Amino acid sequence: MDLELPDEKRTFDEVEVVNQCSDFLNSGVDTIAITLQWMMANIVKHPRIQDKLVTEIRQIVGDGEVEEVEEENLHRMKYLKAVVLEGLRLHPPSHFLLPHSVTEDFILDGRYVVPKDCTVNFSVAEMGRDPC
């Protein structure tokens, strides 16, 4: 590979490339793993939801008839989808979206001026908890 470190005018060695790849993979896995842990914790915390999930899975897949749930069955599990979406709403993998730039002056809610060329950050976590 001929990736070059601009400040040092040298290429990455094999160990550095492996470390960079490892960092990228781990950072993507960690966010998803933490989100899944939150979802599982909430399912355990609410036995009624857990019971409804088990009932739905048994109705669609059967009771112990198959060892693996097929993807085609997942599309029929509406309650499972709702639980996953609610988990993502409450515990998003990333709390902020990429920054956005304002292309022209904008008046927000009739009270606030957001000037042109201003950078705006959106908090996904806060939007998911907004009662409006």
Side-chain angles (χ1 to χ4, degrees), residues 13-26:
D13 63 29
E14 188 174 324
V15 172
E16 289 172 319
V17 171
V18 169
N19 287 339
Q20 290 295 319
C21 290
S22 177
D23 287 346
F24 288 132
L25 290 172
N26 286 335

Side-chain angles (χ1 to χ4, degrees), residues 10-59:
R10 68 175 183 86
T11 58
F12 284 98
D13 63 29
E14 188 174 324
V15 172
E16 289 172 319
V17 171
V18 169
N19 287 339
Q20 290 295 319
C21 290
S22 177
D23 287 346
F24 288 132
L25 290 172
N26 286 335
S27 61
V29 169
D30 284 350
T31 55
I32 298 303
I34 291 168
T35 300
L36 288 173
Q37 287 174 348
W38 274 111
M39 285 184 197
M40 294 305 292
N42 282 322
I43 290 170
V44 169
K45 184 178 175 182
H46 301 282
R48 185 182 57 80
I49 293 171
Q50 186 176 5
D51 291 342
K52 284 180 77 171
L53 281 171
V54 170
T55 300
E56 179 181 69
I57 292 168
R58 285 184 176 152
Q59 286 174 346

